[in-house]
Amino acid sequence: MMQRPPHEDFSLKETKPHLGGGKVTGDKLTSTYDLVEQMQYLYVRVVKAKELPSKDVTGSCDPYTEVRLGNYKGVTRHFEKKTNPEWNQVFAFSKDRIQASVIEVTVKDKDVIKDDFIGRILFDLNEVPKRVPPDSPLAPQWYRLEERKGEKLKGELMLAVWWGTQADEAFSEAWHSDAATVSWADGLANIRSKVYLSPKLWYLRVNVIEAQDLMPTDKTRFPEVFVKAILGNQALRTRISTNKCINPMWNEDLMFVAAEPFEEPLILSVEDRVAPNKDEVLGRCMIPLQYVDRRLDHKALNTRWFNLEKHAVMEGEKKKEVKFASRIHMRVCLEGGYHVLDESTHYSSDLRPTAKQLWKNNIGVLEVGILSAHGLTPMKTKDGRATTDAYCVAKYGNKWIRTRTIVDSFAPKWNEQYTWEVFDPCTVVTIGVFDNCHLHSGGDKAGGTKDSRIGKVRIRLSTLETDRVYTHSYPLLVFHPTGVKKMGEIHLAVRFTCSRLLNMMHMYSQPLLPKMHYVYPLTVSQLDSLRHQATQIVSMRLTRAEPPLRKEVVEYMLDVGSHMWSMRRSKANFFRIMGVLSGLIAVGKLFDQICNWKNPITTVLIHILFLILVLYPELILPTIFLYLFLIGIWYYKWRPRNPTHMDTRLSCADSGHPDELDEEFDTFPTSRPPDLVRMRYDRLRSIAGRIQTVVGDLATQGERLQSLLSWRDPRATALFVIFCLVAAIVLYVTPFQVVALITGFYVLRHPKFRHKLPGVPLNFFRRLQAKTDSML
């Protein structure tokens, strides 16, 4: 068994950071950037230069600008043969790392052997102005270049220098001193913070009804016709038509996932199965999705006939298209009333339908401040030493955010704040931490390079109090073949602000998914297949962004592969079921103690309560609900005050067997040796055998109930029928309260009047016939 080290702490810790510079009013912070700690930066915007002097006989130069502050140096791109270059680049130096009092901006001439000095400008940091948004940006000014001795030169440089914070507009596009080792050419685009939007996804429904006037090549046989539909990487086919003729019918639905903008058409082909491994194309048609009808509700749309085109090959000629009279009858529409699931419904961040016309007003705003991380595990080796280049990704709804990458730090500080609109409180925001492996030249070209996962956190909005700021340090846990491992901790500040309380309360009475999921429900297999296609489309689109949000990052955030078999998850789900049933089991044990008079005073009180409820049955339901009300009020004192987080004990992550963990990380299909696979298969057969036995026992009890009136056992049915007649007469002439009292007192009778043998009803039930006798 894999036991976690005793020193590892997987708990959630509440923190008290200095948010928003300490501007606090009651329980809510007041500044616009109030969920993060203020970070001071020195910004230098290098705009352009003019009339640069040159030592070249041609009068031209290859200028670039170097911004130096202590040991940190930022460099602009250089231009060839240009005396009036324009850069418009911003450099940001963290105040925490500044060890100099003067900033030097130098213009140099690029040379093969040694770069030539053109001129420089010096700024005293004590004289640099401060700027705080929403102030307008500081206007750049022209500064005369100086020689090293202080003499003025001819050329001028347009600059702006100011003190600011991470709330500055220039922050996201600036070169940062935290990433001084990353050059503009190598990977600067890969470290900047960005906001991404998932593509708008639609379900495409293709209702294939029938085809007419098909022309198979072989006229002597009955055609076995089916329809194949292709949309991008998705391919589906109908069953073979049951009426084997040239006018086949199917009336079958094919479901696809399509993303705006629609780049690929729907291609349908009608094919004839002429041999077990040979299909003949009888006709094709191509349908651009831009012209497909969009349906917002369950009302049927009009069907359409589409002409089929056949590709024929003529001798001595090239392949050409020949149109003929074959056609296909279909109903094709884009379903706007469904929500396209790209996440698991258990922790989905968005439940709105695709069509914007069906959206309801938002009920609030979610604000997340990604403060910092600490204790991160070294993820790779660079220049002979261990290092980590960490960044965060957060997803809620269709909006993804990516923080900047903090280079070479095990305790990065991001202090970035993001906001999302909330349309449903029963949704989950996911924050993941990753190691950036694409910072240096060749990173993208090295085929196997992937950003490593450090861990993630899920927070359900319905567990948060409104208008309260939650500041906690969450453990970053990753599951490895050797067991669960803590990769560090991430520090977050979260606030859920509700703008419409009544609307939010009303949401609890609404269906979780849009109406179409219940009017025209999709099958479980369809939902699994469509979710897989949706995640592939989302990851492909986000990978094409700049900088890309890579496929491994998107799949980890969307929990692709979470449906695969895992012995650990199976055990965890079993213990969850036992936890749910533990309350009923405890009630059963308590009732058994009452019936056996373990505590006579309690049993007497139960007799009195039972007598009151039988004599006054109108008190039964009010008593139950009053009891539940009092329990709820009693538990309010011990209500959870912290958000939920990953629980290793609930997940059975701290006590897994090594072989079970290795099986969980096995590929699909398996890549393990045959002997190991055989052993795991035998183990799975053993577990399935136990489940099979339990299911059989449940079926046996149900069949015994059915056999009461089936006359399969004539004597048992006769006894039961006679008993029912006597019971009907007795219950008719006897008041119900008398029957209830006699039954209750009989069940609660003293142990002296009990027998250890089973009762007559149980004996009769166990003797009833079931269908186990007919099982092979």
Side-chain angles (χ1 to χ4, degrees):
M1 303 291 284
M2 300 298 299
Q3 298 293 339
R4 71 185 186 190
H7 63 276
E8 284 195 301
D9 184 10
F10 296 157
S11 63
L12 185 71
K13 303 182 184 69
E14 188 169 5
T15 59
K16 295 183 179 180
H18 193 66
L19 300 181
K23 300 177 182 178
V24 180
T25 302
D27 196 29
K28 187 172 180 180
L29 303 175
T30 57
S31 70
T32 56
Y33 225 64
D34 57 0
L35 291 186
V36 293
E37 297 177 312
Q38 280 195 0
M39 300 177 67
Q40 296 292 328
Y41 286 90
L42 176 67
Y43 289 97
V44 180
R45 180 185 293 276
V46 181
V47 183
K48 57 184 177 180
K50 66 179 182 179
E51 300 178 358
L52 294 178
S54 174
K55 297 180 182 180
D56 194 342
V57 293
T58 62
S60 62
C61 60
D62 302 335
Y64 69 92
T65 301
E66 178 184 284
V67 182
R68 183 183 292 274
L69 181 61
N71 296 327
Y72 294 103
K73 179 180 71 173
V75 180
T76 67
R77 56 188 178 275
H78 81 278
F79 294 94
E80 295 184 1
K81 309 300 181 183
K82 203 166 187 178
T83 56
N84 299 316
E86 291 190 16
W87 295 286
N88 198 27
Q89 293 178 206
V90 182
F91 300 86
F93 299 87
S94 176
K95 187 176 182 180
D96 296 339
R97 301 188 180 186
I98 291 178
Q99 298 177 347
S101 59
V102 176
I103 184 170
E104 179 181 355
V105 183
T106 307
V107 182
K108 293 186 177 182
D109 184 5
K110 190 78 173 177
D111 192 68
V112 177
I113 301 175
K114 183 180 179 181
D115 297 345
D116 295 326
F117 173 85
I118 296 179
R120 70 177 183 180
I121 303 170
L122 300 178
F123 293 92
D124 188 347
L125 298 187
N126 294 323
E127 303 297 327
V128 173
K130 291 184 179 180
R131 174 185 175 259
V132 179
D135 292 349
S136 298
L138 191 67
Q141 301 180 27
W142 287 105
Y143 293 89
R144 199 75 173 267
L145 294 176
E146 300 177 354
E147 291 184 344
R148 288 192 173 93
K149 296 181 181 180
E151 298 179 3
K152 298 292 184 180
L153 296 174
K154 179 182 178 182
E156 290 182 288
L157 186 64
M158 181 177 279
L159 290 174
V161 184
W162 72 95
W163 287 106
T165 66
Q166 72 268 40
D168 204 290
E169 295 88 347
F171 178 79
S172 61
E173 297 297 329
W175 171 95
H176 288 266
S177 58
D178 299 337
T181 58
V182 181
S183 67
W184 288 90
D186 285 338
L188 193 60
N190 286 310
I191 69 170
R192 290 174 172 166
S193 56
K194 290 291 180 182
V195 175
Y196 306 83
L197 292 178
S198 296
K200 188 175 183 178
L201 301 177
W202 295 77
Y203 282 148
L204 175 67
R205 186 187 296 272
V206 182
N207 179 220
V208 183
I209 302 173
E210 60 179 331
Q212 285 186 356
D213 303 328
L214 299 180
M215 298 178 62
T217 305
D218 188 357
K219 309 290 186 182
T220 62
R221 53 180 290 276
F222 294 108
E224 298 181 1
V225 185
F226 63 91
V227 177
K228 181 190 291 184
I230 299 175
L231 180 64
N233 296 325
Q234 308 169 65
L236 296 174
R237 48 162 289 180
T238 66
R239 67 185 188 280
I240 294 177
S241 176
T242 55
N243 54 334
K244 299 181 179 181
C245 61
I246 61 173
N247 299 317
M249 297 186 66
W250 296 278
N251 197 20
E252 189 172 339
D253 280 352
L254 304 177
M255 297 292 293
F256 298 89
V257 178
E260 290 187 2
F262 303 121
E263 299 175 347
E264 296 170 328
L266 174 66
I267 301 173
L268 293 113
S269 61
V270 181
E271 302 184 12
D272 181 14
R273 175 66 53 82
V274 296
N277 294 318
K278 184 179 180 182
D279 301 326
E280 177 189 359
V281 178
L282 302 181
R284 285 194 180 96
C285 71
M286 186 174 67
I287 305 174
L289 298 187
Q290 294 89 331
Y291 308 112
V292 171
D293 294 332
R294 303 186 180 191
R295 185 168 74 163
L296 306 184
D297 52 26
H298 61 281
K299 297 178 181 178
L301 299 177
N302 294 328
T303 60
R304 288 182 57 190
W305 287 94
F306 296 88
N307 292 327
L308 294 174
E309 299 176 352
K310 186 171 183 179
H311 294 269
V313 179
M314 307 298 292
E315 293 184 5
E317 298 181 8
K318 294 183 179 179
K319 182 185 288 188
K320 65 178 183 179
E321 295 181 357
V322 180
K323 294 185 179 180
F324 62 108
S326 295
R327 57 182 187 165
I328 186 170
H329 191 199
M330 296 188 299
R331 182 185 288 110
V332 183
C333 65
L334 291 164
E335 297 280 10
Y338 290 92
H339 169 69
V340 180
L341 294 166
D342 57 351
E343 305 167 287
S344 171
T345 52
H346 299 300
Y347 28 80
S348 180
S349 62
D350 188 13
L351 301 168
R352 293 171 294 170
T354 298
K356 200 169 185 179
Q357 301 93 309
L358 303 178
W359 291 3
K360 297 180 180 178
N361 294 330
N362 68 321
I363 60 170
V365 173
L366 171 67
E367 299 165 276
V368 177
I370 303 176
L371 303 179
S372 61
H374 60 273
L376 296 185
T377 303
M379 301 300 296
K380 58 180 178 285
T381 302
K382 183 167 58 179
D383 298 330
R385 59 188 179 84
T387 183
T388 298
D389 306 321
Y391 67 93
C392 287
V393 174
K395 181 195 184 302
Y396 184 79
N398 66 336
K399 178 179 174 181
W400 301 66
I401 65 93
R402 169 180 173 153
T403 68
R404 71 189 190 283
T405 299
I406 306 299
V407 179
D408 194 14
S409 175
F410 301 125
K413 292 184 178 181
W414 294 285
N415 284 300
E416 299 182 26
Q417 182 172 336
Y418 298 94
T419 304
W420 289 268
E421 283 187 313
V422 178
F423 293 86
D424 194 315
C426 301
T427 47
V428 177
V429 60
T430 305
I431 302 102
V433 185
F434 301 88
D435 176 50
N436 197 331
C437 298
H438 298 82
L439 296 186
H440 302 281
S441 294
D444 290 330
K445 298 176 182 177
T449 305
K450 292 184 178 181
D451 288 353
S452 304
R453 58 184 68 169
I454 298 178
K456 67 180 172 184
V457 175
R458 295 194 200 101
I459 302 174
R460 183 171 291 274
L461 270 59
S462 59
T463 64
L464 304 178
E465 299 177 14
T466 54
D467 298 325
R468 176 188 166 190
V469 178
Y470 290 84
T471 53
H472 292 83
S473 184
Y474 298 80
L476 294 171
L477 307 177
V478 172
F479 211 63
H480 291 283
T482 55
V484 66
K485 183 178 180 182
K486 183 177 179 181
M487 309 293 285
E489 295 185 3
I490 182 172
H491 193 190
L492 301 175
V494 181
R495 179 171 61 212
F496 174 36
T497 305
C498 176
S499 57
R500 298 176 176 88
L501 181 60
L502 290 179
N503 288 358
M504 184 174 69
M505 294 301 184
H506 178 66
M507 288 299 299
Y508 282 89
S509 66
Q510 299 301 301
L512 189 65
L513 294 170
K515 178 181 176 181
M516 284 293 288
H517 284 270
Y518 306 97
V519 177
Y520 282 147
L522 302 172
T523 65
V524 175
S525 59
Q526 278 182 318
L527 288 174
D528 287 342
S529 174
L530 293 172
R531 185 195 168 202
H532 173 72
Q533 297 298 337
T535 55
Q536 294 301 309
I537 291 173
V538 170
S539 63
M540 182 182 67
R541 290 288 180 92
L542 295 180
T543 302
R544 291 163 53 187
E546 186 59 41
L549 199 58
R550 304 188 182 278
K551 182 178 180 180
E552 62 271 16
V553 174
V554 176
E555 290 183 348
Y556 181 60
M557 296 291 289
L558 295 179
D559 269 325
V560 174
S562 60
H563 63 285
M564 299 297 291
W565 161 257
S566 166
M567 180 70 76
R568 175 187 60 84
R569 286 199 192 98
S570 301
K571 290 180 179 178
N573 289 333
F574 174 77
F575 290 134
R576 287 173 60 199
I577 293 175
M578 295 307 297
V580 171
L581 298 177
S582 61
L584 295 176
I585 296 173
V587 171
K589 291 181 177 178
L590 178 62
F591 184 72
D592 183 68
Q593 292 176 359
I594 292 171
C595 292
N596 288 284
W597 293 68
K598 297 291 185 182
N599 188 335
I601 298 177
T602 303
T603 305
V604 170
L605 292 175
I606 292 297
H607 276 78
I608 297 173
L609 176 63
F610 175 71
L611 182 63
I612 294 173
L613 294 179
V614 170
L615 295 179
Y616 302 96
E618 64 274 9
L619 296 178
I620 294 177
L621 290 179
T623 302
I624 293 174
F625 285 109
L626 180 61
Y627 179 66
L628 294 176
F629 169 77
L630 294 176
I631 291 177
I633 296 298
W634 178 258
Y635 281 162
Y636 180 78
K637 182 179 180 180
W638 295 280
R639 68 191 185 279
R641 300 290 295 173
N642 298 329
T644 56
H645 68 291
M646 303 295 184
D647 190 335
T648 56
R649 188 170 298 277
L650 178 68
S651 307
C652 294
D654 54 353
S655 58
H657 191 276
D659 181 68
E660 295 174 359
L661 302 182
D662 180 72
E663 181 184 22
E664 184 171 343
F665 283 88
D666 191 6
T667 57
F668 187 85
T670 182
S671 57
R672 298 297 187 261
D675 293 341
L676 187 59
V677 175
R678 185 180 297 108
M679 183 272 292
R680 290 174 179 172
Y681 175 66
D682 291 339
R683 180 176 62 196
L684 189 60
R685 289 178 63 192
S686 174
I687 297 171
R690 298 174 203 166
I691 298 174
Q692 174 182 284
T693 302
V694 173
V695 172
D697 291 341
L698 293 175
T700 298
Q701 308 310 320
E703 289 167 354
R704 285 173 175 167
L705 282 174
Q706 292 177 340
S707 68
L708 283 171
L709 297 172
S710 68
W711 293 95
R712 181 73 270 187
D713 184 345
R715 286 164 294 279
T717 303
L719 287 172
F720 182 69
V721 168
I722 294 172
F723 169 77
C724 291
L725 177 62
V726 174
I729 297 172
V730 171
L731 293 175
Y732 179 76
V733 300
T734 308
F736 174 77
Q737 287 150 325
V738 175
V739 176
L741 284 174
I742 293 174
T743 304
F745 288 144
Y746 176 78
V747 172
L748 297 172
R749 67 193 183 279
H750 195 273
K752 289 182 179 181
F753 304 102
R754 295 178 182 273
H755 300 284
K756 293 184 178 180
L757 297 177
V760 173
L762 187 58
N763 291 334
F764 178 78
F765 183 77
R766 286 177 176 173
R767 289 177 177 274
L768 292 174
Q769 185 266 346
K771 295 181 180 179
T772 50
D773 305 336
S774 303
M775 292 281 291
L776 289 175

